[in-house]
Amino acid sequence: MEEGSRQSFQPTPEELAHRLVGYEAEGSRGPEALIAKAEKAFDRLHTTLSVFLGSKGFESLWARAMLLAQQTLQAEGLEEGTALFTSPERWADAAGTRDAAQAHIILHAQFASFLSLLFTFIGEEIGLRLIRPALPDIPPHEEDSPTEDARL
Amino acid sequence: MSKKQQVAIRLLSTGVPGLDEVLGGGLPEYSFNFIAGTPGAGKTTLIHQIMFTLATPKHPALYFTVMGEPPLKILRHQQQMDFFESSMVGDSIHFIDLSEIVLEQGLGAALARIVQQVEERNPALVIVDSFQAIVRAATLKDHELDLQSFIQRLAIHLTNWQATTFLVGEPLSNNAQNSPLRTVADSIIELSQNIHRNSVVRKLQVVKVRGQAPMPGLHTFRISGAGLQIFPRIPATATQKHRARPHNRMATGVAGLDDLIGGGFPGGDAVIVSGPTGAGKSLLATQFIAAGAAVGETGVIAVFEEHPEEYVRRASELGIDLAEMERQNMLKVIYIRPLDLSPDETLHEIQAAVALIGARRVVIDSMTGFELALAPTFREDFRESLYRMVVALTGTGVTVLLTMEIQQSYTDLRISAYLISFLADTIILLRYAEVAGELRRNLSVIKMRNSAHSKGFTLYEITAQGMVVRHTLEMQPGSGIGSSATRERSRQPIYPGLTEEETVLLQALIKLGKAPLEGLAQRVGLPDGPLLRTALDRLVSLSYAIRLHDEVGTLYQPMAQLME
C-alpha cells in the first residue's frame, strides 16, 4: 500500500503482532518472558474473539493460521521445530529448543498469520474492531458509528 | 378505555423498502418477532438490513448465532451489502456465538448467557439466528429447560428489558413443537422462493402482527446489493376506493380521432388499443404522449418489447422528439424486460416513474410484452395482475393506454386474446379492411364507458406526420368488414367551401350551440392555436358562424344546421 493512502490508522497484521509479542533483545536472556507475553496475548485474543467466533471457531481459525505460518517460516529456513510452537500449551516446552530471538520470529509470524487470516475473511476494519478489546492501545478508527439521532 | 388512556405503541421503521407498508406501519417496539424462511430465502439479509437501520451505540443490537451460518461467514458476506456499515460492528452491533453453549450445556445455559449479555449491554435489538438450531437442540437432549419454557422466558425477559427481538429460522411446521412460538410471537414474517421453469420468484408474507393490520397475501421481493426491496401487493379494492376521476378529456394527438370519441379519452380512463402488427398501435400511443406533452401533461411509456432507444428513434422519424421530452422531464421511458418480474414490481417501477415527474398519461406498450416479462408463475393470473395494475394507476387519475397485438381475422372481431376488455373503459380496435380493391387501415371505437362515441368503421392512414383519421366507411347490407363491397362514404362536401377540418369544427360548434374558443378546442381535440383560430375565422367569413362578445369573452355561435 502506498504511503499516505490509509485514511485512518490501519495497522498491518505484522504491526499488530509486534504489539502483541513485541521483543527487545536483552543480552542473553532466554525466551521465557517472551513466551509469557505471548500466552497473555493469546488468552486476550481467545477471550475476545470467542464471543464472536465461539471457542471452537477460534481454535479452528488458529490451527489454520499456524499451518500458514509454518509455510512462511519454511520459506525463511526456520521450519525445523516450528511445529512445536503451534499451540500455547506447547510454547513453554518449545522455548527450550530456541533462543529468544528465534522464538520471537516464530511467535511473531504465528500471530501475524492469525490476524492476517482473520482479516482475509472479514476485512481489516471489522477485524480490528473485533480484536480491539484484546489490544486496547490500538488507536480508535476515525469513523464513528452513526449518531443516535439517525436511529432509534 | 378512552383513546387518551391507551398506550401508544411506537412503530419502528425497518429500513426495508416496502416492508413497513406490508406490516401496517412498521414493527411494534419491544415486540417478539419470528422471521422464517427456507435456506437462501433472504432472512439473514433481511434481519441485517433491519439491524443496521435500527442499532445505535446507545441502543445496540446483539446478534446471537446458534449453529447456523458461521459468524465469520455472516460478516464476510453481509459486508458486501450497501447497508452494512463496518463502523457499527463492535460498537452498535455485537455478534455473540452461542453454538457451543447450546450444544454442550443446553438451553438453560444459553438462556442465561443471553440474559447476561442483555443485562450487560442493554440492547434495543436482540437477534437469535438460527432458532431452528434451538429447536433441534431441545429435541436432541434432555435439557433441564424445554423449548416452550425457553421461548416463554426469553420473550418475557427481553420484553421487560425493552428489547425488540427477532428469532430467525426455518418456516414453522404445524406440529405441536412449534406451537409455543406461534403463540408467543407478536409477528411472524415468512420468506419463500419459488422456482418455476427458469425463474426464481421471492415472496414475503406477514402471517401475523399483533395489534396491527398487515397487508394480506404474498408480496414479491427482490434482493440486490441494497438489500431487500418488497413490492407490496396492492389490493385492487383499496385503490378503487380512492379512485378520483377527473372530468377532462385527454387529446389523443391523432387528427380526427378525438371527433370520434367526444373530444378525447376521458381523463383517468384505461384505454386499450388493439390491433394486428403494423396497424399503428405504438404510433397512436406515442402521439397520445406527445399530445399530452404539448399541453404540459407529463407521461410515462413502459416499453416491454423493444429497446427504448429504438422506440425513441422511430418516434423521431415522425417528428415526435421523445428524447427532448425526457430531457425536459415531460416524459419518462422505462424499459422492463427481465423475464422474472412480478406484476407488483412492474407496477412499482411505473408508479415510481409516475411519481417522479407527476405523470398524467401512462402508456404500456405492450400487454403482450408485459406478459412475457413476467415470471411464468404470474402468467397464470395475468388478467388479475393486469387488473390490479390498471386500477392502481387509474385510481390516481392517470389515464392509461395499453396496446395489445392481436391476430386479425375476417370472421372474428375479438379485440384481445386475454379476455380483458372488462378492465378497459375505452377500446379502440385497429384493423385492415379491403376497400374498393385496396387493403386499408380502419379503426372502430368498440367501447367507451359513460361517453358517446362513433359506431362506425373509420379509415385512417399512417403518414409522415403520424396517424391521421380520414373517412367513415359505409357497409353494404349483409357485408362484413373486409368485404370488397365496403366503400367509402361519399366525399361530397355537405358544407360548401369548407375543408374537412373546418367541417368537423362546424359540426362541433353546432352540437355545442354556443362555445368559447377553449371549449371548441377541447371538443375537437385541437390545441388553441393558429390552426383553430384560422378555421374559426373561415367559418365566420363564410357565414357558417358568428362571433359574439360579452362580459365573459368571445363566443362562437353556429348559423348552420347540423347535416349528416
Side-chain angles (χ1 to χ4, degrees):
Chain A
M1 187 175 287
E2 289 178 17
E3 196 175 343
S5 64
R6 288 171 188 275
Q7 292 186 332
S8 59
F9 178 68
Q10 295 266 4
T12 63
E14 288 73 24
E15 287 167 344
L16 289 168
H18 182 73
R19 284 169 187 265
L20 287 164
V21 290
Y23 166 75
E24 301 295 335
E26 292 177 16
S28 59
R29 279 182 61 184
E32 291 76 15
L34 180 65
I35 295 291
K37 190 173 185 180
E39 282 175 346
K40 283 182 185 168
F42 177 88
D43 287 344
R44 286 204 305 272
L45 278 178
H46 187 282
T47 303
T48 302
L49 289 178
S50 288
V51 172
F52 159 63
L53 294 169
S55 183
K56 294 284 190 291
F58 177 89
E59 285 157 19
S60 167
L61 194 68
W62 180 267
R64 171 65 182 164
M66 292 309 100
L67 180 69
L68 296 173
Q70 276 184 271
Q71 291 170 356
T72 306
L73 291 167
Q74 279 174 11
E76 294 175 11
L78 277 170
E79 75 277 19
E80 193 181 341
T82 55
L84 283 170
F85 281 86
T86 50
S87 67
E89 292 80 26
R90 302 174 72 183
W91 283 347
D93 297 335
T97 67
R98 300 282 179 181
D99 62 25
Q102 283 185 326
H104 173 254
I105 291 170
I106 295 166
L107 290 168
H108 182 274
Q110 290 174 335
F111 277 92
S113 175
F114 176 77
L115 295 169
S116 179
L117 185 60
L118 181 69
F119 291 177
T120 298
F121 279 113
I122 57 176
E124 280 181 42
E125 187 177 352
I126 297 173
L128 277 173
R129 288 182 175 279
L130 291 176
I131 64 168
R132 180 162 295 127
L135 289 161
D137 57 333
I138 300 176
H141 281 261
E142 287 174 4
E143 194 181 338
D144 289 322
S145 282
T147 60
E148 292 296 310
D149 294 344
R151 298 184 182 278
L152 279 179
Chain B
M1 189 183 282
S2 72
K3 280 275 179 194
K4 284 182 182 173
Q5 290 173 307
Q6 284 178 351
V7 171
I9 296 177
R10 189 173 162 223
L11 298 178
L12 305 177
S13 181
T14 59
V16 180
L19 182 56
D20 293 351
E21 206 177 339
V22 173
L23 285 166
L27 267 177
E29 193 175 32
Y30 316 142
S31 55
F32 193 79
N33 310 288
F34 182 51
I35 296 178
T38 51
K43 49 191 185 298
T44 301
T45 301
L46 174 63
I47 191 57
H48 273 76
Q49 202 170 345
I50 295 172
M51 180 170 71
F52 274 88
T53 300
L54 295 174
T56 67
K58 191 177 174 186
H59 299 288
L62 299 187
Y63 196 110
F64 293 99
T65 51
V66 191
M67 295 189 290
E69 187 179 354
L72 208 59
K73 287 176 81 176
I74 289 180
L75 272 185
R76 181 173 170 78
H77 294 143
Q78 290 300 320
Q79 66 181 275
Q80 312 302 323
M81 310 302 287
D82 295 347
F83 57 75
F84 191 98
E85 290 182 42
S86 299
S87 62
M88 294 175 71
V89 177
D91 192 7
S92 304
I93 294 171
H94 303 277
F95 290 88
I96 298 154
D97 188 64
L98 288 182
S99 304
E100 286 160 38
I101 293 177
V102 170
L103 274 174
E104 293 167 9
Q105 300 172 48
L107 296 186
L111 181 62
R113 175 80 163 140
I114 292 172
V115 167
Q116 176 251 323
Q117 286 289 322
V118 166
E119 293 181 359
E120 189 179 303
R121 296 182 190 264
N122 193 29
L125 298 171
V126 172
I127 295 111
V128 179
D129 182 7
S130 89
F131 174 72
Q132 221 60 34
I134 300 269
V135 174
R136 276 194 293 271
T139 54
L140 286 174
K141 288 193 172 184
D142 292 328
H143 292 298
E144 77 284 6
L145 188 64
D146 63 24
L147 185 64
Q148 182 163 3
S149 303
F150 175 85
I151 293 169
Q152 195 69 35
R153 290 187 199 176
L154 186 69
I156 289 170
H157 192 79
L158 293 181
T159 304
N160 289 344
W161 277 80
Q162 295 178 289
T164 306
T165 305
F166 298 88
L167 303 185
V168 181
E170 289 175 24
L172 297 173
S173 55
N174 285 322
N175 60 28
Q177 192 183 40
N178 289 320
S179 62
L181 186 52
R182 285 184 188 281
T183 309
V184 172
D186 297 310
S187 86
I188 299 176
I189 300 171
E190 280 190 7
L191 310 181
S192 60
Q193 56 177 351
N194 308 309
I195 299 171
H196 194 263
R197 296 187 192 166
N198 291 325
S199 72
V200 177
V201 176
R202 298 177 187 273
K203 292 182 181 177
L204 176 146
Q205 182 184 15
V206 176
V207 178
K208 159 188 183 183
V209 187
R210 201 162 269 154
Q212 285 176 228
M215 290 176 71
L218 293 163
H219 309 273
T220 52
F221 68 94
R222 192 171 280 276
I223 303 178
S224 67
L228 271 74
Q229 178 169 13
I230 321 290
F231 304 104
R233 184 180 184 277
I234 301 166
T237 47
T239 53
Q240 210 164 23
K241 250 190 293 187
H242 303 295
R243 187 168 185 178
R245 264 179 187 281
H247 297 289
N248 60 320
R249 293 276 176 164
M250 317 290 273
T252 62
V254 176
L257 178 56
D258 291 350
D259 297 335
L260 305 178
I261 54 174
F265 298 132
D269 265 13
V271 179
I272 290 180
V273 177
S274 187
T277 184
K281 301 179 295 296
S282 295
L283 178 58
L284 195 159
T286 307
Q287 286 181 246
F288 172 66
I289 288 292
V295 293
E297 289 173 354
T298 47
V300 169
I301 302 177
V303 187
F304 289 93
E305 287 185 16
E306 60 184 323
H307 199 274
E309 285 176 11
E310 177 61 17
Y311 201 88
V312 169
R313 188 195 61 74
R314 279 200 300 107
S316 71
E317 288 176 356
L318 297 163
I320 299 173
D321 194 347
L322 296 180
E324 180 59 24
M325 288 180 209
E326 279 202 284
R327 274 192 291 277
Q328 293 180 358
N329 276 333
M330 292 300 297
L331 171 67
K332 183 94 181 136
V333 180
I334 52 178
Y335 178 56
I336 313 170
R337 200 182 180 181
L339 303 178
D340 64 347
L341 281 175
S342 74
D344 297 302
E345 187 173 356
T346 312
L347 176 60
H348 180 271
E349 289 269 330
I350 295 172
Q351 280 182 321
V354 167
L356 186 69
I357 59 170
R360 305 308 304 152
R361 299 176 179 224
V362 169
V363 162
I364 295 172
D365 193 6
S366 67
M367 280 194 276
T368 318
F370 172 45
E371 189 197 14
L372 278 175
L374 294 179
T377 184
F378 295 113
R379 293 180 198 163
E380 291 157 12
D381 55 358
F382 178 67
R383 291 172 72 214
E384 188 253 351
S385 303
L386 198 61
Y387 175 69
R388 285 193 296 110
M389 185 164 83
V390 168
V391 169
L393 289 169
T394 55
T396 58
V398 173
T399 305
V400 181
L401 189 153
L402 307 102
T403 66
M404 163 153 287
E405 181 160 332
I406 54 165
Q407 281 191 325
Q408 178 162 338
S409 163
Y410 289 109
T411 56
D412 184 0
L413 206 62
R414 189 178 301 174
I415 54 147
S416 94
Y418 298 95
L419 302 175
I420 52 170
S421 56
F422 72 95
L423 66 80
D425 301 295
T426 298
I427 297 173
I428 307 280
L429 177 62
L430 309 180
R431 288 166 60 89
Y432 293 100
E434 187 187 334
V435 179
E438 287 181 40
L439 197 60
R440 304 280 296 273
R441 294 184 175 95
N442 75 92
L443 66 81
S444 46
V445 183
I446 301 291
K447 164 185 175 183
M448 271 192 97
R449 277 193 186 123
N450 307 315
S451 177
H453 61 86
S454 161
K455 305 288 193 298
F457 290 91
T458 305
L459 290 179
Y460 68 92
E461 290 172 13
I462 294 177
T463 70
Q465 280 74 45
M467 181 184 282
V468 178
V469 171
R470 298 294 190 199
H471 311 286
T472 300
L473 293 171
E474 277 188 353
M475 310 292 287
Q476 296 285 27
S479 68
I481 187 74
S483 160
S484 58
T486 306
R487 61 184 173 84
E488 288 182 70
R489 179 174 284 178
S490 167
R491 294 186 185 217
Q492 188 69 32
I494 50 177
Y495 297 107
L498 296 187
T499 64
E500 286 178 29
E501 288 75 17
E502 288 160 357
T503 301
V504 168
L505 186 62
L506 177 59
Q507 286 173 329
L509 185 58
I510 292 169
K511 283 178 184 168
L512 288 171
K514 191 188 289 185
L517 189 117
E518 300 77 31
L520 271 169
Q522 190 177 337
R523 179 69 184 230
V524 297
L526 285 173
D528 175 5
L531 192 67
L532 184 67
R533 288 170 189 272
T534 305
L536 280 168
D537 287 345
R538 288 255 306 148
L539 294 185
V540 171
S541 67
L542 293 171
S543 300
Y544 282 110
I546 56 170
R547 189 180 284 120
L548 304 170
H549 300 280
D550 63 10
E551 64 276 7
V552 295
T554 304
L555 294 171
Y556 292 89
Q557 184 177 321
M559 299 302 290
Q561 299 284 317
L562 190 61
M563 298 174 71
E564 294 291 352

